[in-house]
């Protein structure tokens, strides 16, 4: 990195030479720069507030947002700085809704016939911009709390959990098989 403003032997030139320029995250119209993993869809949710508190709808089959019915629901939390993942499901999709906190959902698409095969997709979900998002079958995903309080997630998977034969495959968060790193994060699959 060079800067014609700074003399070559100055502190400014030395610090700029060591600096990394921010990457573009959004276009001028507000749309994200990266593309979504093939098969991922969102439904924006409105949180209604008044002097008593808030209310937000979590799921309604009348929305026709997802073709699979509501069959099972559970909630999980992630503590600040922690990562849950990498996980993959062969038989069902996850459908996440954030109740509290800020979470980075990172997807890696290993599906050979997918339009986004080999790509990483990073989605930030938060209580400040609520929406429901699905994670397609056969896509590795990791959930990283990037906020300062516990993340509370409600999941509406497309099949009920099979306690006898869980549909969950795991890789460590620092695997070399996925081109993404979680700096300073703790946790695992």
């Amino acid at each position: 990195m060079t800067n014609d403003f700074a003399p070559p032997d100055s502190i400014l030139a030395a610090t700029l030479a060591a600096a990394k320029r921010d990457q573009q995250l959004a276009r001028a119209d507000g749309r994200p720069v990266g593309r979504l993993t093939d098969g991922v869809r969102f439904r924006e949710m409105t949180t209604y507030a008044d002097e008593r508190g808030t209310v937000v709808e979590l799921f309604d089959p009348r929305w026709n947002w997802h073709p699979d019915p509501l069959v099972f629901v559970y909630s999980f939390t992630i503590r600040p700085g922690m990562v849950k993942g990498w996980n993959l499901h062969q038989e069902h999709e996850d459908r996440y809704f954030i109740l509290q906190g800020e979470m980075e959902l990172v997807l890696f698409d290993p599906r050979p016939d997918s339009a986004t095969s080999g790509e990483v997709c990073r989605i930030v979900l938060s209580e400040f911009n609520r929406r429901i998002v699905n994670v397609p079958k056969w896509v590795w995903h990791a959930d990283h709390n990037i906020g300062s309080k516990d993340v509370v997630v409600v999941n509406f998977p497309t099949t009920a959990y099979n306690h006898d034969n869980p549909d969950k495959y795991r890789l460590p968060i620092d695997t070399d098989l996925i081109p993404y790193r979680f700096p300073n994060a703790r946790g695992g699959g």
Side-chain angles (χ1 to χ4, degrees), residues 4 13 22 25 71 73 82 99 104 122 141 151 159 167-168:
D4 296 330
D22 278 357
L25 298 177
V71 295
V73 179
M82 298 299 288
L99 282 176
E104 169 188 47
R122 180 181 177 270
H141 55 287
V151 167
T159 60
D167 178 31
K168 184 170 269 195

Side-chain angles (χ1 to χ4, degrees), residues 41-165:
R41 293 180 310 281
F42 289 106
R43 184 178 197 291
E44 303 297 323
M45 308 302 228
T46 301
T47 301
Y48 300 94
D50 65 22
E51 65 279 358
R52 301 165 298 156
T54 65
V55 65
V56 62
E57 295 175 342
L58 301 181
F59 190 89
D60 187 333
R62 296 173 296 181
W63 296 336
N64 294 317
W65 170 74
H66 198 282
D68 292 332
L70 181 60
V71 295
F72 185 70
V73 179
Y74 69 93
S75 180
F76 65 90
T77 64
I78 306 171
R79 292 194 172 93
M82 298 299 288
V83 176
K84 289 187 177 183
W86 295 99
N87 302 300
L88 177 141
H89 309 294
Q90 295 182 20
E91 300 168 15
H92 78 271
E93 292 189 12
D94 284 331
R95 298 180 287 197
Y96 286 171
F97 182 88
I98 299 292
L99 282 176
Q100 172 184 290
E102 299 169 273
M103 183 178 91
E104 169 188 47
L105 170 61
V106 182
L107 309 168
F108 175 68
D109 189 352
R111 301 169 296 174
D113 297 331
S114 169
T116 54
S117 181
E119 293 182 15
V120 171
C121 176
R122 180 181 177 270
I123 300 166
V124 174
L125 303 170
S126 114
E127 66 186 82
F128 305 109
N129 180 23
R130 289 186 170 144
R131 51 194 174 159
I132 191 169
V133 61
N134 69 301
V135 178
K137 298 175 190 176
W138 300 98
V139 171
W140 289 102
H141 55 287
D143 311 321
H144 178 203
N145 183 335
I146 57 173
S148 59
K149 60 185 173 184
D150 282 7
V151 167
V152 179
V153 180
V154 177
N155 190 10
F156 307 91
T158 56
T159 60
Y161 185 75
N162 183 342
H163 294 85
D164 296 327
N165 189 21

